[in-house]
């Protein structure tokens, strides 16, 4: 005997899949970066990546603050059928994310220098860490905008754009990183992440057209 479907059950399943993938892919990309550096390069490069990872995770947490808060307020406004208010929340949050991105660019540079000086690493590992950070700095700068757009697209129910952005993030984070690391050293890991993040942001922007 067939059961009656719950209201919006199919929509829920679709968005559940998209949101789950959206949570997993960035983690997979970061974990794969360590594997790429370790296999394509050498132990010193892997040590430099491990040195950089805590700073990366810290700024990922900072970047996600705006998007998490925006989701709560945005869905509250939509629940009140206040579309104008919801749009205003998104617009203000986008502006805050842009400002946070600018702050992240300068703050990450300052924090990285303090962090390296505190650790007092060998010159080889220090140089590798600096090379890794040289392109990843721009990735950290884009993260506040990426996380906000990713969450907002899901809030609007556009699973297709969400899946596309995650595919591009994965392709850039792994495929491009392998090629770039082979030719550029550890700097290539940042190039791959930057290409993937830019591609993901562009895919998410398709939702608004």
């Amino acid at each position: 005997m067939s059961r009656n479907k719950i209201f919006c059950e199919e929509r829920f399943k679709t968005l559940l899949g998209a949101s789950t993938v959206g949570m997993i892919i960035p983690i997979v990309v970061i974990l794969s970066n360590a594997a790429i550096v370790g296999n394509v390069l050498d132990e010193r490069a892997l040590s430099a990546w491990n040195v950089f990872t805590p700073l990366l995770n810290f700024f990922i947490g900072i970047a996600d603050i705006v998007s998490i808060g925006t989701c709560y307020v945005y869905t509250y406004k939509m629940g009140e059928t206040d579309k104008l208010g919801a749009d205003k929340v998104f617009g203000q949050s986008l502006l805050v994310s842009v400002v946070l991105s600018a702050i992240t660019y300068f703050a990450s540079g300052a924090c990285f220098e303090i962090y390296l000086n505190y650790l007092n690493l060998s010159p080889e590992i220090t140089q590798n860490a600096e090379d890794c950070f040289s392109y990843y700095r721009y990735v950290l700068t884009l993260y506040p905008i990426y996380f906000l757009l990713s969450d907002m697209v899901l809030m609007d129910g556009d699973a297709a754009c969400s899946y596309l952005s995650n595919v591009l993030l994965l392709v850039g984070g792994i495929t491009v990183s392998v090629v770039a690391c082979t030719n550029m050293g550890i700097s290539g890991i940042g190039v791959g992440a930057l290409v993937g993040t830019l591609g993901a942001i562009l895919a998410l922007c398709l939702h608004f057209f």
Side-chain angles (χ1 to χ4, degrees), residues 36 40-41 135 172-195:
I36 292 168
V40 176
L41 303 175
Y135 284 98
I174 296 179
T175 309
V176 177
S177 291
V178 171
V179 176
C181 276
T182 303
N183 294 282
M184 300 173 60
I186 196 170
S187 299
I189 210 75
V191 173
L194 181 59
V195 170

Side-chain angles (χ1 to χ4, degrees), residues 2-208:
S2 62
R3 63 180 179 84
N4 294 326
K5 285 194 174 183
I6 302 171
F7 176 66
C8 290
E9 180 179 354
E10 291 301 322
R11 186 64 170 270
F12 172 78
K13 288 180 179 179
T14 301
L15 294 181
L16 177 63
S19 61
T20 302
V21 171
M23 292 293 293
I24 293 173
I25 292 299
I27 298 171
V28 170
V29 170
I30 292 173
L31 293 175
S32 66
N33 285 340
I36 292 168
V37 170
N39 285 280
V40 176
L41 303 175
D42 53 27
E43 294 84 359
R44 286 175 296 183
L46 183 58
S47 296
W49 171 254
N50 290 332
V51 166
F52 173 65
T53 302
L55 193 69
L56 170 62
N57 292 331
F58 172 76
F59 279 101
I60 286 176
I62 296 297
D64 212 15
I65 289 175
V66 176
S67 64
I68 291 173
T70 302
C71 286
Y72 289 123
V73 181
Y74 183 85
T75 52
Y76 178 78
K77 290 293 183 182
M78 290 298 287
E80 291 185 323
T81 64
D82 184 5
K83 184 66 167 62
L84 183 62
D87 288 342
K88 187 179 293 186
V89 167
F90 171 66
Q92 292 172 346
S93 299
L94 185 58
L95 179 61
V96 172
S97 293
V98 171
V99 173
L100 182 59
S101 291
I103 293 173
T104 298
Y105 177 81
F106 295 104
S108 62
C111 289
F112 185 70
E113 289 300 322
I114 295 171
Y115 180 57
L116 282 188
N117 290 334
Y118 173 76
L119 292 176
N120 194 25
L121 303 167
S122 67
E124 294 84 0
I125 294 178
T126 299
Q127 184 59 55
N128 274 311
E130 289 174 348
D131 291 342
C132 177
F133 179 72
S134 62
Y135 284 98
Y136 236 108
R137 182 179 191 174
Y138 300 102
V139 180
L140 297 178
T141 301
L142 290 173
Y143 271 160
I145 297 172
Y146 165 72
F147 284 127
L148 176 66
L149 292 178
S150 179
D151 287 346
M152 286 299 96
V153 166
L154 274 176
M155 290 298 101
D156 274 351
D158 193 345
C161 275
S162 180
Y163 279 124
L164 177 60
S165 71
N166 284 309
V167 168
L168 292 174
L169 187 67
L170 186 65
V171 169
I174 296 179
T175 309
V176 177
S177 291
V178 171
V179 176
C181 276
T182 303
N183 294 282
M184 300 173 60
I186 196 170
S187 299
I189 210 75
V191 173
L194 181 59
V195 170
T197 305
L198 283 171
I201 289 174
L202 290 175
L204 293 168
C205 287
L206 294 175
H207 170 75
F208 303 99

